[in-house]
Amino acid sequence: MNFKRSFCLLIAVLLTASAVLLLFPNWLFAIKPDIDFTGTIVNLDDLKIEHFPFYGGRDGVFGVSDLVKGYTEYVSNGTENAPDILEQLKKLTQRDDFMSELYAFLFISLLTVPVYMLIRFVIYDTVYEIPEMTILPLRILLRGVFAASASLVTVFITWFLYRTVIFDIVLTFLMEKIQALTNMQFALNATNIFMLVVLTIAVIALLRATLFRGSIFTSILGAILRTALFIMLVAVIALFYAKMTMRAILFMLAAFAAIGILKSIFLPEKRAAYRARRH
């Protein structure tokens, strides 16, 4: 492995660890109790993962974290039956705030497109070369691991921008203006729809101009899958870090392999370019 790949891999690891620690401030303070964000733009309360669309983790609000929680004993020890996944997903769609959460989820997903373009160009294009130099089983596993890392870093950076700039400044401003003319619920829905339409147009224009990843549909599909993967990954980290058994590790390895296979099918890399760089 050359210096550039080693350096980019190190940066990817550090960014992934930083994203996880900022999403779970208690872990950060356990490692470095004297850290202080006073006077900075970082508000750890705003960045808490419980605020993320569909994550859950709050009293009376069912989310992905609750869905994953139902599988902890089954995955860790095999002592419980696996819950009915369709029933769990049904609970998710029956939330009173389902539509507003869906708007926010789609908005964040689309916003990840330009963020991913940037971090991929700077870091992950090089990191994605590493699996292509290994044997097939390890190649599939590493593709999944690096895709998971890219998802965590990309969506966290997007989440940071969303909570510190877009949500606090742009969306709040628009809601206040519309609310002055109508009621709160209409203002919320109108603002969400307006921003989603504007962002969709902007992302499509950006993709058409750059031809990033070869197709507009593939890029948008990848953005939605990336955000969904982020929620699942964070929920798994939160619930399994203290219950990591050999059985759970095997499940996680299988999950990374599945992610690697799905990435190869829906978001394949340019193999020829990698082979050329190896020589």
Side-chain angles (χ1 to χ4, degrees):
M1 192 184 301
N2 62 26
F3 173 78
K4 182 180 179 182
R5 293 193 188 104
S6 300
F7 178 76
C8 287
L9 178 61
L10 176 61
I11 297 299
V13 171
L14 292 175
L15 286 174
T16 303
S18 299
V20 172
L21 290 175
L22 287 172
L23 286 169
F24 298 100
N26 291 340
W27 298 0
L28 178 62
F29 291 128
I31 296 172
K32 192 171 178 58
D34 59 340
I35 192 168
D36 185 10
F37 290 101
T38 304
T40 71
I41 63 171
V42 179
N43 186 331
L44 295 182
D45 287 334
D46 286 344
L47 294 178
K48 282 183 178 179
I49 190 60
E50 289 83 3
H51 299 303
F52 201 92
F54 293 128
Y55 181 79
R58 291 169 286 166
D59 291 340
V61 180
F62 185 86
V64 173
S65 62
D66 302 286
L67 186 152
V68 173
K69 187 176 182 180
Y71 288 86
T72 52
E73 286 302 319
Y74 171 75
V75 171
S76 296
N77 305 309
T79 56
E80 300 285 343
N81 293 326
D84 186 339
I85 185 64
L86 294 179
E87 279 296 319
Q88 299 296 301
L89 292 175
K90 185 178 178 180
K91 289 181 183 178
L92 202 61
T93 61
Q94 290 175 337
R95 288 175 48 155
D96 293 337
D97 60 350
F98 176 77
M99 288 308 301
S100 61
E101 291 286 283
L102 181 61
Y103 289 136
F105 175 85
L106 292 176
F107 188 91
I108 293 169
S109 296
L110 288 172
L111 199 61
T112 65
V113 173
V115 175
Y116 182 62
M117 290 174 69
L118 178 61
I119 70 162
R120 181 185 170 97
F121 175 74
V122 175
I123 299 170
Y124 282 93
D125 263 341
T126 302
V127 172
Y128 285 156
E129 295 175 7
I130 298 172
E132 308 312 312
M133 299 182 293
T134 61
I135 59 175
L136 184 59
L138 183 58
R139 185 186 312 161
I140 293 173
L141 183 63
L142 287 178
R143 285 175 189 166
V145 170
F146 294 145
S149 169
S151 172
L152 279 169
V153 173
T154 300
V155 182
F156 173 76
I157 293 173
T158 306
W159 176 237
F160 178 84
L161 293 173
Y162 178 80
R163 293 293 291 183
T164 58
V165 178
I166 296 171
F167 184 84
D168 285 346
I169 299 176
V170 180
L171 292 178
T172 302
F173 173 79
L174 287 174
M175 277 193 291
E176 288 176 352
K177 295 300 181 184
I178 298 174
Q179 189 181 352
L181 303 174
T182 180
N183 59 63
M184 179 62 184
Q185 187 59 45
F186 180 84
L188 179 62
N189 291 335
T191 301
N192 285 331
I193 294 172
F194 174 76
M195 290 298 295
L196 188 59
V197 170
V198 169
L199 183 59
T200 301
I201 294 171
V203 166
I204 290 175
L206 177 64
L207 292 171
R208 285 175 64 87
T210 59
L211 296 177
F212 182 63
R213 296 191 64 74
S215 124
I216 292 174
F217 173 78
T218 301
S219 295
I220 293 177
L221 174 64
I224 293 172
L225 293 175
R226 184 183 308 126
T227 310
L229 176 60
F230 169 84
I231 303 175
M232 290 294 297
L233 285 171
V234 176
V236 168
I237 293 169
L239 293 166
F240 283 94
Y241 81 99
K243 298 182 179 181
M244 193 54 64
T245 64
M246 182 56 66
R247 179 183 167 89
I249 291 173
L250 292 175
F251 266 95
M252 291 182 68
L253 291 175
F256 282 130
I259 294 168
I261 292 171
L262 290 174
K263 184 180 186 304
S264 300
I265 294 172
F266 292 105
L267 304 168
E269 304 299 332
K270 294 181 178 179
R271 308 281 177 251
Y274 287 137
R275 286 196 294 269
R277 293 187 188 187
R278 289 176 64 182
H279 299 293

